[in-house]
Amino acid sequence: MDDAPAQLRIDGITIPYRAMGSGPPVVCSELPLNPFCRYLPLQRKLAADHTVYVVDLRPVLDRTALDDAQELLDVFSTILLKTLDALKIDSCVLVGSFMFGGVAMETARRAPARIERLVLIGSLGLVRLPRTWLMWGITGFYRLPGIPRLSRMSLFRRAITWGDRAMLLDLRKKQLFYRPKEMTVATEELYEHYANPPIEAAGWALLWCIRRLRYDSLVPRLGEITCPTLIVHGSDDLWVPARYATALQQQLRGSTMAWVKNTRHMPELEDTEQTYRVIQEFLGQRHDAIHGAAAQVS
């Protein structure tokens, strides 16, 4: 199976996805950044032993269909479970990064029989948005009244994109990466709405996730998540500081913490090899447990 993009139709929404490798299924996604590019080096490594599905749920946030009052955590987890149905996946390992970490946890809580193991990379959940002054300013702007209406105007969107890229992008990269000058990832690989032509689904995902993706209902129920969980976190993450990752581990039963040294918010890009090793070891434990149980039965 190659990694050429394919599509599913879920509740009238076209959901792009990629699949690669063969073996037990691993399903991953993220929001609001580009899941096809940001995860790709890690996915290809995992595909040596697993069938890796990369699901892009950003089209769910279509500007003509989204109700501003919708509970996005419930919307995303519902669509994700329907996506598993469409892919004929009865159970899987679920990998959630950044804002999608909360969605992954909610899905594991709602459907414990379907999520065998959970991997959270740089996950939000106990905090709703990144924790730096720069990101407070950016997310505060996106939450201002009237921004969704103004964002429907192409001239306004182009102006915001130009200003963000010209004045804030370098600062943002310094917060994302421990050694930003060594990162060769293209801007468009991080933020698809910068592409030419821009991918509008990415821009709308950024806007609506900032405004409406909340974890208030999830946090008091984290104890209901029963599957083994691996929390992978950059040791120097500025957007989700280490204390929040540690607090999350304390609230998730059976969870394990793996620190990726000398990385910030994107360990899967800054140190793909180390990130892969800790995840593969965690998934190897799953393999050993299954085969151990089979041996006992026989």
Side-chain angles (χ1 to χ4, degrees), residues 84-277:
L84 297 184
D85 291 339
L87 292 171
K88 302 186 186 312
I89 297 174
D90 294 326
S91 63
C92 66
V93 174
L94 181 58
V95 182
S97 175
F98 192 38
M99 286 188 173
F100 204 84
V103 179
M105 287 185 276
E106 173 66 8
T107 305
R109 186 194 69 78
R110 291 177 57 181
R114 304 198 68 174
I115 309 303
E116 299 173 7
R117 292 199 166 219
L118 192 58
V119 178
L120 305 172
I121 304 176
S123 176
L124 292 174
L126 294 186
V127 289
R128 185 175 163 237
L129 294 167
R131 309 298 291 175
T132 69
W133 64 266
L134 174 65
M135 295 307 294
W136 288 339
I138 292 172
T139 56
F141 172 80
Y142 275 99
R143 286 183 289 172
L144 288 173
I147 290 297
R149 184 177 297 275
L150 288 171
S151 295
R152 298 176 193 272
M153 304 176 186
S154 60
L155 183 61
F156 178 82
R157 290 200 306 274
R158 287 199 297 269
I160 294 302
T161 298
W162 178 87
D164 183 75
R165 185 168 189 164
M167 294 182 288
L168 300 177
L169 185 59
D170 285 344
L171 291 173
R172 197 177 301 180
K173 284 184 176 180
K174 289 178 181 178
Q175 293 188 359
L176 286 173
F177 303 119
Y178 190 79
R179 299 184 183 92
K181 292 183 178 180
E182 296 180 12
M183 297 304 300
T184 58
V185 60
T187 298
E188 289 76 11
E189 292 177 323
L190 295 176
Y191 300 97
E192 277 190 317
H193 53 296
Y194 287 147
N196 187 20
I199 298 177
E200 290 198 1
W204 287 106
L206 177 65
L207 171 67
W208 288 113
C209 284
I210 287 172
R211 292 180 70 89
R212 290 294 173 185
L213 185 54
R214 306 182 63 90
Y215 312 117
D216 305 47
S217 61
L218 171 65
V219 172
R221 308 181 74 175
L222 288 173
E224 298 176 19
I225 298 173
T226 57
C227 65
T229 301
L230 175 67
I231 301 172
V232 181
H233 215 81
S235 61
D236 295 86
D237 194 337
L238 299 179
W239 281 19
V240 187
R243 64 184 182 276
Y244 294 107
T246 301
L248 180 61
Q249 183 196 9
Q250 292 171 349
Q251 296 200 41
L252 288 174
R253 292 185 291 164
S255 63
T256 303
M257 177 68 71
W259 300 104
V260 183
K261 295 181 180 179
N262 299 326
T263 65
R264 286 190 172 168
H265 188 62
M266 295 186 175
E268 69 275 26
L269 280 184
E270 282 207 275
D271 195 335
T272 303
E273 188 62 38
Q274 188 180 355
T275 303
Y276 165 71
R277 283 200 305 269

Side-chain angles (χ1 to χ4, degrees), residues 26 46 50 93 117 279-287:
V26 173
L46 290 171
H50 303 86
V93 174
R117 292 199 166 219
I279 294 176
Q280 186 62 8
E281 180 180 352
F282 177 69
L283 299 186
Q285 294 170 2
R286 165 187 176 274
H287 176 83

